[in-house]
Amino acid sequence: MASPDVLIVGAGIVGAACADALSADGLRVEVLEESFPGGGATAAAMGHLVVMDDSPAQMALTAYSRRLWTQLSPQLSTDCEDERTGTLWIAADEEEMRHVHAKAALYREWDVDADIIAPAELASLEPNLRAGLAGALRVPDDRVLYPPAAARWLLSRAVSRKAVLRRGVHVRGIGAGFVSTGSGILSAGAIINAAGAAASRLIPGLPIQPRKGHLVITDRYPGFCRHQLVELGYLKSAHTPSRESVAFNLQPRATGQMLLGSSREFVGLDATLNRSLRDRMIRRALSYVPAIGALAAIRTWVGFRPATPDNLPLVGKWETLRGVYVAAGHEGLGVTTSLGTASLIADLIAGRKPSIDPLPYSPMREFPDAGHA
């Protein structure tokens, strides 16, 4: 049997997106997954498709990728639960409101729709927010979807083009043009490491470290919240090098449930529920939406997001191994940036000029000493 053109390690949202893009190019694709599609970091994601402005490179990739998701939206199956909720970045005081104005100006420079919301309008849009907030930035084209179902949908489309999904494959390592598995060696013209938090185990030297996060989901309360609500300090919390951090992030789901985040901590792969941190996360939410205390939580879970020292993913060729590419290290933005990542990988493999500059995401770039990677 002939070797495939491309072997993709990992069937999360990024690996699935790569399979979809590469199969659309007419390549013979095989995806290797140890457990099940849409697990791992994908199952630990909130599912927001959001433009983020922490750096020009992050802005470029998230804006590009969200545009691809918007184009794809009409084709997604209903179980993907895709909805255009928009995002409200909440300003707690006048100082944060000044940041709202700066953020709005930056988004408009990038042709991203955004409008400034005054306190009275904010209270009308989201009545369950506490009184006294200074306002918000609304980004109306941000979306929410259910990541595991979206990963399965992308994979199913790839399989319809003759891609092959191989489950139960334990990958031990990646070499030049081959993958070492528990049952032998598999070869291909190109290898893509899309293994999420496990990526650095397969290619030693990748600056990726698992970052644990907690999520809480409630019973069904349709209409309790209509937008994705995020405190303006979210980026500061998400990118702090401290061992533990929390930030307010509340997301309405198509089911009527409310999904609450977020927490982050560096504890290796310890999957134990950190009740203290989970409770801090809930208290943070109560400070913005006091009425959330009356909702019934039905599940708490943890997952591991692949973090890098500079908060940008590793996307591109791993020059020290022939034919090897990396598509990992997306931390909490893997769902948003999966389509953009896959487009970059497909363009690089095909020798096309990518739609955005791939250099900021190169796995070969130099990294700051962040003290944790």
Side-chain angles (χ1 to χ4, degrees):
M1 185 175 178
S3 297
D5 298 313
V6 183
L7 277 171
I8 300 172
V9 182
I13 192 77
V14 173
C18 289
D20 182 52
L22 292 164
S23 63
D25 273 351
L27 299 179
R28 292 170 297 141
V29 177
E30 288 191 14
V31 183
L32 310 179
E33 171 57 46
E34 185 167 8
S35 53
F36 60 90
T42 301
M46 292 189 75
H48 50 188
L49 306 176
V50 57
V51 176
M52 300 285 264
D53 61 339
D54 188 47
S55 66
Q58 187 187 78
M59 190 79 168
L61 184 57
T62 57
Y64 173 53
S65 199
R66 194 197 66 178
R67 187 164 63 250
L68 296 177
W69 276 112
T70 300
Q71 294 167 1
L72 189 62
S73 174
Q75 302 175 52
L76 294 172
S77 60
T78 55
D79 66 339
C80 292
E81 300 177 13
D82 171 67
E83 290 196 322
R84 181 176 172 266
T85 62
T87 299
L88 284 174
W89 292 90
I90 309 298
D93 52 36
E94 289 306 318
E95 180 182 356
E96 290 191 351
M97 201 61 195
R98 286 192 288 273
H99 289 291
V100 161
H101 285 270
K103 194 178 183 78
L106 179 61
Y107 275 48
R108 290 163 187 162
E109 286 178 16
W110 285 80
D111 293 323
V112 174
D113 286 345
D115 52 295
I116 295 169
I117 305 299
E121 186 181 1
L122 181 59
S124 175
L125 289 171
E126 293 292 348
N128 284 312
L129 282 168
R130 70 169 171 84
L133 293 167
L137 179 74
R138 178 170 58 188
V139 186
D141 294 330
D142 284 350
R143 313 183 73 85
V144 166
L145 53 67
Y146 181 51
R152 292 192 294 267
W153 185 88
L154 289 165
L155 277 173
S156 70
R157 196 162 74 155
V159 169
S160 74
R161 305 188 191 106
K162 309 304 181 185
V164 175
L165 170 63
R166 298 177 60 175
R167 294 181 56 181
V169 179
H170 174 65
V171 176
R172 293 176 172 173
I174 292 174
F178 70 90
V179 169
S180 173
T181 77
S183 55
I185 300 295
L186 301 173
S187 301
I191 311 293
I192 300 173
N193 183 350
S200 56
R201 175 179 63 80
L202 304 179
I203 300 180
L206 286 183
I208 291 176
Q209 185 174 2
R211 202 173 191 191
K212 180 176 167 181
H214 293 69
L215 293 174
V216 176
I217 197 161
T218 74
D219 207 341
R220 298 169 190 258
Y221 301 94
F224 180 87
C225 166
R226 295 188 290 271
H227 300 76
Q228 178 170 226
L229 305 178
V230 190
E231 68 170 285
L232 201 64
Y234 175 87
L235 279 176
K236 180 179 179 181
S237 168
H239 294 160
T240 178
S242 63
R243 180 181 173 88
E244 297 183 353
S245 65
V246 299
F248 168 61
N249 189 342
L250 183 65
Q251 184 183 97
R253 304 312 306 252
T255 58
Q257 295 170 286
M258 299 295 123
L259 183 60
L260 176 64
S262 64
S263 75
R264 285 170 167 82
E265 57 180 325
F266 288 107
V267 289
L269 292 172
D270 178 2
T272 306
L273 176 66
N274 184 334
R275 296 182 186 278
S276 173
L277 190 61
R278 187 271 317 271
D279 291 348
R280 276 180 57 198
M281 187 178 81
I282 293 172
R283 288 194 299 272
R284 189 70 179 171
L286 286 167
S287 72
Y288 282 88
V289 185
I292 203 171
L295 308 190
I298 60 174
R299 184 183 172 215
T300 299
W301 71 100
V302 302
F304 299 94
R305 304 169 183 122
T308 66
D310 63 1
N311 307 310
L312 290 172
L314 311 179
V315 181
K317 196 167 187 180
W318 185 248
E319 300 287 356
T320 60
L321 293 173
R322 175 183 53 83
V324 173
Y325 295 79
V326 180
H330 298 78
E331 222 261 87
L333 287 171
V335 179
T336 291
T337 58
S338 55
L339 297 189
T341 292
S343 176
L344 287 175
I345 290 289
D347 288 342
L348 292 170
I349 288 177
R352 297 187 294 258
K353 181 180 179 181
S355 296
I356 63 172
D357 182 7
L359 191 60
Y361 323 105
S362 168
M364 308 307 296
R365 66 187 185 270
E366 293 186 7
F367 292 88
D369 180 8
H372 62 262

